[in-house]
mmCIF file of all heavy atoms in Angstrom:
data_model
loop_
_atom_site.group_PDB
_atom_site.id
_atom_site.type_symbol
_atom_site.label_atom_id
_atom_site.label_comp_id
_atom_site.label_asym_id
_atom_site.label_seq_id
_atom_site.Cartn_x
_atom_site.Cartn_y
_atom_site.Cartn_z
ATOM 1 N N GLY A 1244 35.953 -97.915 -267.107
ATOM 2 C CA GLY A 1244 35.743 -97.761 -268.563
ATOM 3 C C GLY A 1244 36.917 -97.040 -269.214
ATOM 4 O O GLY A 1244 37.751 -96.453 -268.610
ATOM 5 N N LEU A 1245 37.002 -97.120 -270.528
ATOM 6 C CA LEU A 1245 37.905 -96.516 -271.407
ATOM 7 C C LEU A 1245 37.444 -95.386 -272.126
ATOM 8 O O LEU A 1245 36.385 -95.518 -272.727
ATOM 9 C CB LEU A 1245 38.500 -97.618 -272.388
ATOM 10 C CG LEU A 1245 38.931 -98.943 -271.797
ATOM 11 C CD1 LEU A 1245 39.527 -99.829 -272.945
ATOM 12 C CD2 LEU A 1245 39.859 -98.810 -270.673
ATOM 13 N N ARG A 1246 38.219 -94.294 -272.121
ATOM 14 C CA ARG A 1246 37.739 -93.025 -272.725
ATOM 15 C C ARG A 1246 37.834 -93.108 -274.249
ATOM 16 O O ARG A 1246 39.026 -93.281 -274.829
ATOM 17 C CB ARG A 1246 38.432 -91.879 -272.167
ATOM 18 C CG ARG A 1246 37.929 -90.538 -272.694
ATOM 19 C CD ARG A 1246 38.586 -89.337 -271.991
ATOM 20 N NE ARG A 1246 38.121 -88.065 -272.559
ATOM 21 C CZ ARG A 1246 38.176 -86.939 -271.940
ATOM 22 N NH1 ARG A 1246 38.541 -86.862 -270.673
ATOM 23 N NH2 ARG A 1246 37.743 -85.785 -272.484
ATOM 24 N N LEU A 1247 36.801 -92.987 -274.955
ATOM 25 C CA LEU A 1247 36.794 -92.877 -276.437
ATOM 26 C C LEU A 1247 37.630 -91.765 -276.905
ATOM 27 O O LEU A 1247 37.473 -90.637 -276.294
ATOM 28 C CB LEU A 1247 35.413 -92.878 -277.050
ATOM 29 C CG LEU A 1247 34.565 -94.093 -277.164
ATOM 30 C CD1 LEU A 1247 33.223 -93.768 -277.684
ATOM 31 C CD2 LEU A 1247 35.249 -95.190 -278.015
ATOM 32 N N ILE A 1248 38.445 -91.916 -277.916
ATOM 33 C CA ILE A 1248 39.161 -90.858 -278.514
ATOM 34 C C ILE A 1248 38.313 -90.307 -279.669
ATOM 35 O O ILE A 1248 38.194 -90.911 -280.675
ATOM 36 C CB ILE A 1248 40.568 -91.330 -279.076
ATOM 37 C CG1 ILE A 1248 41.268 -92.055 -277.968
ATOM 38 C CG2 ILE A 1248 41.366 -90.073 -279.498
ATOM 39 C CD1 ILE A 1248 42.595 -92.763 -278.399
ATOM 40 N N VAL A 1249 37.678 -89.123 -279.398
ATOM 41 C CA VAL A 1249 36.637 -88.691 -280.284
ATOM 42 C C VAL A 1249 37.121 -87.671 -281.295
ATOM 43 O O VAL A 1249 36.290 -87.188 -282.205
ATOM 44 C CB VAL A 1249 35.441 -88.031 -279.506
ATOM 45 C CG1 VAL A 1249 34.800 -89.120 -278.627
ATOM 46 C CG2 VAL A 1249 35.940 -86.887 -278.589
ATOM 47 N N ASP A 1250 38.399 -87.254 -281.260
ATOM 48 C CA ASP A 1250 38.922 -86.153 -282.124
ATOM 49 C C ASP A 1250 40.109 -86.660 -282.948
ATOM 50 O O ASP A 1250 41.005 -85.830 -283.132
ATOM 51 C CB ASP A 1250 39.229 -84.922 -281.262
ATOM 52 C CG ASP A 1250 40.261 -85.198 -280.223
ATOM 53 O OD1 ASP A 1250 40.658 -86.395 -279.994
ATOM 54 O OD2 ASP A 1250 40.704 -84.232 -279.610
ATOM 55 N N ASN A 1251 40.073 -87.903 -283.335
ATOM 56 C CA ASN A 1251 41.350 -88.466 -283.873
ATOM 57 C C ASN A 1251 41.060 -89.266 -285.147
ATOM 58 O O ASN A 1251 41.621 -90.279 -285.344
ATOM 59 C CB ASN A 1251 42.104 -89.239 -282.927
ATOM 60 C CG ASN A 1251 43.478 -89.544 -283.195
ATOM 61 O OD1 ASN A 1251 44.145 -88.744 -283.773
ATOM 62 N ND2 ASN A 1251 44.048 -90.679 -282.712
ATOM 63 N N GLY A 1252 40.157 -88.817 -286.037
ATOM 64 C CA GLY A 1252 39.939 -89.417 -287.347
ATOM 65 C C GLY A 1252 39.122 -90.598 -287.291
ATOM 66 O O GLY A 1252 39.061 -91.397 -288.301
ATOM 67 N N ILE A 1253 38.260 -90.831 -286.249
ATOM 68 C CA ILE A 1253 37.328 -92.039 -286.213
ATOM 69 C C ILE A 1253 35.960 -91.441 -285.791
ATOM 70 O O ILE A 1253 35.876 -90.776 -284.773
ATOM 71 C CB ILE A 1253 37.852 -93.084 -285.262
ATOM 72 C CG1 ILE A 1253 39.225 -93.629 -285.730
ATOM 73 C CG2 ILE A 1253 36.818 -94.264 -285.220
ATOM 74 C CD1 ILE A 1253 39.893 -94.641 -284.785
ATOM 75 N N PHE A 1254 34.890 -91.868 -286.519
ATOM 76 C CA PHE A 1254 33.604 -91.582 -286.149
ATOM 77 C C PHE A 1254 32.934 -92.837 -285.672
ATOM 78 O O PHE A 1254 33.043 -93.863 -286.376
ATOM 79 C CB PHE A 1254 32.823 -90.981 -287.300
ATOM 80 C CG PHE A 1254 31.285 -90.709 -287.013
ATOM 81 C CD1 PHE A 1254 30.979 -89.597 -286.189
ATOM 82 C CD2 PHE A 1254 30.298 -91.508 -287.590
ATOM 83 C CE1 PHE A 1254 29.618 -89.334 -285.952
ATOM 84 C CE2 PHE A 1254 28.981 -91.287 -287.268
ATOM 85 C CZ PHE A 1254 28.608 -90.159 -286.465
ATOM 86 N N TYR A 1255 32.296 -92.848 -284.446
ATOM 87 C CA TYR A 1255 31.769 -94.043 -283.892
ATOM 88 C C TYR A 1255 30.173 -94.124 -284.036
ATOM 89 O O TYR A 1255 29.518 -93.122 -283.788
ATOM 90 C CB TYR A 1255 32.088 -94.059 -282.435
ATOM 91 C CG TYR A 1255 33.572 -93.986 -282.078
ATOM 92 C CD1 TYR A 1255 34.147 -92.786 -281.765
ATOM 93 C CD2 TYR A 1255 34.415 -95.050 -282.201
ATOM 94 C CE1 TYR A 1255 35.514 -92.647 -281.532
ATOM 95 C CE2 TYR A 1255 35.821 -95.013 -281.932
ATOM 96 C CZ TYR A 1255 36.375 -93.781 -281.616
ATOM 97 O OH TYR A 1255 37.628 -93.643 -281.294
ATOM 98 N N GLU A 1256 29.752 -95.331 -284.340
ATOM 99 C CA GLU A 1256 28.308 -95.536 -284.304
ATOM 100 C C GLU A 1256 28.103 -96.753 -283.354
ATOM 101 O O GLU A 1256 28.967 -97.608 -283.239
ATOM 102 C CB GLU A 1256 27.758 -95.811 -285.649
ATOM 103 C CG GLU A 1256 27.775 -94.643 -286.582
ATOM 104 C CD GLU A 1256 27.140 -94.865 -287.954
ATOM 105 O OE1 GLU A 1256 25.884 -95.074 -287.948
ATOM 106 O OE2 GLU A 1256 27.911 -95.088 -288.950
ATOM 107 N N PHE A 1257 26.857 -96.837 -282.875
ATOM 108 C CA PHE A 1257 26.491 -97.919 -281.894
ATOM 109 C C PHE A 1257 25.245 -98.559 -282.453
ATOM 110 O O PHE A 1257 24.173 -97.810 -282.585
ATOM 111 C CB PHE A 1257 26.262 -97.250 -280.545
ATOM 112 C CG PHE A 1257 27.544 -96.492 -280.080
ATOM 113 C CD1 PHE A 1257 27.583 -95.148 -280.322
ATOM 114 C CD2 PHE A 1257 28.522 -97.157 -279.369
ATOM 115 C CE1 PHE A 1257 28.711 -94.445 -279.934
ATOM 116 C CE2 PHE A 1257 29.674 -96.421 -278.988
ATOM 117 C CZ PHE A 1257 29.733 -95.027 -279.259
ATOM 118 N N VAL A 1258 25.328 -99.804 -282.799
ATOM 119 C CA VAL A 1258 24.229 -100.539 -283.473
ATOM 120 C C VAL A 1258 23.667 -101.576 -282.599
ATOM 121 O O VAL A 1258 24.452 -102.383 -281.977
ATOM 122 C CB VAL A 1258 24.706 -101.052 -284.800
ATOM 123 C CG1 VAL A 1258 23.579 -101.834 -285.525
ATOM 124 C CG2 VAL A 1258 25.222 -99.967 -285.734
ATOM 125 N N VAL A 1259 22.314 -101.686 -282.502
ATOM 126 C CA VAL A 1259 21.745 -102.715 -281.734
ATOM 127 C C VAL A 1259 22.072 -104.064 -282.372
ATOM 128 O O VAL A 1259 21.816 -104.333 -283.504
ATOM 129 C CB VAL A 1259 20.136 -102.505 -281.691
ATOM 130 C CG1 VAL A 1259 19.577 -103.793 -281.013
ATOM 131 C CG2 VAL A 1259 19.905 -101.259 -281.054
ATOM 132 N N PRO A 1260 22.829 -104.994 -281.597
ATOM 133 C CA PRO A 1260 23.389 -106.124 -282.264
ATOM 134 C C PRO A 1260 22.346 -107.052 -282.960
ATOM 135 O O PRO A 1260 22.693 -107.624 -284.026
ATOM 136 C CB PRO A 1260 24.021 -106.931 -281.033
ATOM 137 C CG PRO A 1260 24.179 -105.956 -280.030
ATOM 138 C CD PRO A 1260 23.079 -104.846 -280.167
ATOM 139 N N GLU A 1261 21.147 -107.168 -282.400
ATOM 140 C CA GLU A 1261 20.155 -108.025 -282.990
ATOM 141 C C GLU A 1261 19.714 -107.567 -284.425
ATOM 142 O O GLU A 1261 19.080 -108.312 -285.211
ATOM 143 C CB GLU A 1261 18.873 -108.177 -282.119
ATOM 144 C CG GLU A 1261 19.143 -108.828 -280.800
ATOM 145 C CD GLU A 1261 19.858 -107.956 -279.755
ATOM 146 O OE1 GLU A 1261 19.920 -106.786 -280.006
ATOM 147 O OE2 GLU A 1261 20.366 -108.509 -278.800
ATOM 148 N N THR A 1262 19.971 -106.268 -284.684
ATOM 149 C CA THR A 1262 19.628 -105.724 -285.986
ATOM 150 C C THR A 1262 20.656 -105.764 -287.050
ATOM 151 O O THR A 1262 20.492 -105.323 -288.173
ATOM 152 C CB THR A 1262 19.062 -104.277 -285.844
ATOM 153 O OG1 THR A 1262 20.096 -103.431 -285.457
ATOM 154 C CG2 THR A 1262 17.976 -104.218 -284.770
ATOM 155 N N LEU A 1263 21.883 -106.214 -286.658
ATOM 156 C CA LEU A 1263 22.984 -106.272 -287.671
ATOM 157 C C LEU A 1263 22.510 -107.310 -288.777
ATOM 158 O O LEU A 1263 21.942 -108.331 -288.537
ATOM 159 C CB LEU A 1263 24.278 -106.770 -287.029
ATOM 160 C CG LEU A 1263 25.003 -105.809 -286.113
ATOM 161 C CD1 LEU A 1263 26.142 -106.550 -285.413
ATOM 162 C CD2 LEU A 1263 25.631 -104.646 -286.931
ATOM 163 N N GLY A 1264 22.871 -106.989 -290.004
ATOM 164 C CA GLY A 1264 22.518 -107.854 -291.041
ATOM 165 C C GLY A 1264 21.125 -107.659 -291.597
ATOM 166 O O GLY A 1264 20.787 -108.364 -292.637
ATOM 167 N N THR A 1265 20.330 -106.766 -291.034
ATOM 168 C CA THR A 1265 19.009 -106.532 -291.469
ATOM 169 C C THR A 1265 19.001 -105.393 -292.463
ATOM 170 O O THR A 1265 19.961 -104.673 -292.603
ATOM 171 C CB THR A 1265 17.976 -106.218 -290.327
ATOM 172 O OG1 THR A 1265 18.378 -104.946 -289.675
ATOM 173 C CG2 THR A 1265 18.077 -107.384 -289.292
ATOM 174 N N ARG A 1266 17.878 -105.146 -293.150
ATOM 175 C CA ARG A 1266 17.784 -104.079 -294.129
ATOM 176 C C ARG A 1266 17.857 -102.664 -293.386
ATOM 177 O O ARG A 1266 18.339 -101.670 -293.971
ATOM 178 C CB ARG A 1266 16.511 -104.115 -294.859
ATOM 179 C CG ARG A 1266 16.440 -105.334 -295.773
ATOM 180 C CD ARG A 1266 15.045 -105.389 -296.424
ATOM 181 N NE ARG A 1266 14.762 -104.289 -297.303
ATOM 182 C CZ ARG A 1266 15.084 -104.248 -298.597
ATOM 183 N NH1 ARG A 1266 15.623 -105.213 -299.180
ATOM 184 N NH2 ARG A 1266 14.786 -103.155 -299.313
ATOM 185 N N ALA A 1267 17.470 -102.586 -292.114
ATOM 186 C CA ALA A 1267 17.498 -101.311 -291.412
ATOM 187 C C ALA A 1267 18.057 -101.540 -290.045
ATOM 188 O O ALA A 1267 17.251 -101.514 -289.004
ATOM 189 C CB ALA A 1267 16.081 -100.735 -291.442
ATOM 190 N N PRO A 1268 19.374 -101.714 -289.839
ATOM 191 C CA PRO A 1268 19.919 -101.841 -288.543
ATOM 192 C C PRO A 1268 19.658 -100.628 -287.663
ATOM 193 O O PRO A 1268 19.620 -99.452 -288.284
ATOM 194 C CB PRO A 1268 21.423 -102.075 -288.755
ATOM 195 C CG PRO A 1268 21.647 -101.582 -290.137
ATOM 196 C CD PRO A 1268 20.373 -101.784 -290.900
ATOM 197 N N ARG A 1269 19.460 -100.759 -286.386
ATOM 198 C CA ARG A 1269 19.155 -99.570 -285.504
ATOM 199 C C ARG A 1269 20.442 -98.973 -285.125
ATOM 200 O O ARG A 1269 21.218 -99.544 -284.405
ATOM 201 C CB ARG A 1269 18.340 -100.054 -284.329
ATOM 202 C CG ARG A 1269 16.893 -100.386 -284.648
ATOM 203 C CD ARG A 1269 16.143 -101.076 -283.558
ATOM 204 N NE ARG A 1269 16.284 -100.331 -282.306
ATOM 205 C CZ ARG A 1269 15.944 -100.845 -281.096
ATOM 206 N NH1 ARG A 1269 15.511 -102.044 -280.968
ATOM 207 N NH2 ARG A 1269 16.058 -100.006 -280.057
ATOM 208 N N ARG A 1270 20.721 -97.790 -285.693
ATOM 209 C CA ARG A 1270 22.011 -97.086 -285.560
ATOM 210 C C ARG A 1270 21.891 -95.905 -284.665
ATOM 211 O O ARG A 1270 20.978 -95.131 -284.800
ATOM 212 C CB ARG A 1270 22.511 -96.718 -286.898
ATOM 213 C CG ARG A 1270 22.856 -97.956 -287.879
ATOM 214 C CD ARG A 1270 22.984 -97.527 -289.242
ATOM 215 N NE ARG A 1270 24.199 -96.746 -289.585
ATOM 216 C CZ ARG A 1270 24.603 -96.402 -290.775
ATOM 217 N NH1 ARG A 1270 23.878 -96.726 -291.815
ATOM 218 N NH2 ARG A 1270 25.717 -95.755 -290.931
ATOM 219 N N ALA A 1271 22.832 -95.694 -283.777
ATOM 220 C CA ALA A 1271 22.926 -94.556 -282.969
ATOM 221 C C ALA A 1271 24.344 -94.026 -283.154
ATOM 222 O O ALA A 1271 25.243 -94.730 -283.509
ATOM 223 C CB ALA A 1271 22.564 -94.795 -281.473
#
């Protein structure tokens, strides 16, 4: 795996793909 750079001006979210484009995508 590749180590996420978590302290460099980017905030990451992880969304369940099937919920993209819906009114309430499942975001983590």
Side-chain angles (χ1 to χ4, degrees):
L1245 309 185
R1246 182 168 178 161
L1247 280 177
I1248 309 173
V1249 295
D1250 58 353
N1251 200 30
I1253 300 175
F1254 177 74
Y1255 304 97
E1256 292 182 74
F1257 306 90
V1258 178
V1259 175
E1261 294 78 13
T1262 67
L1263 285 172
T1265 66
R1266 292 174 64 92
R1269 288 170 54 193
R1270 299 163 69 174

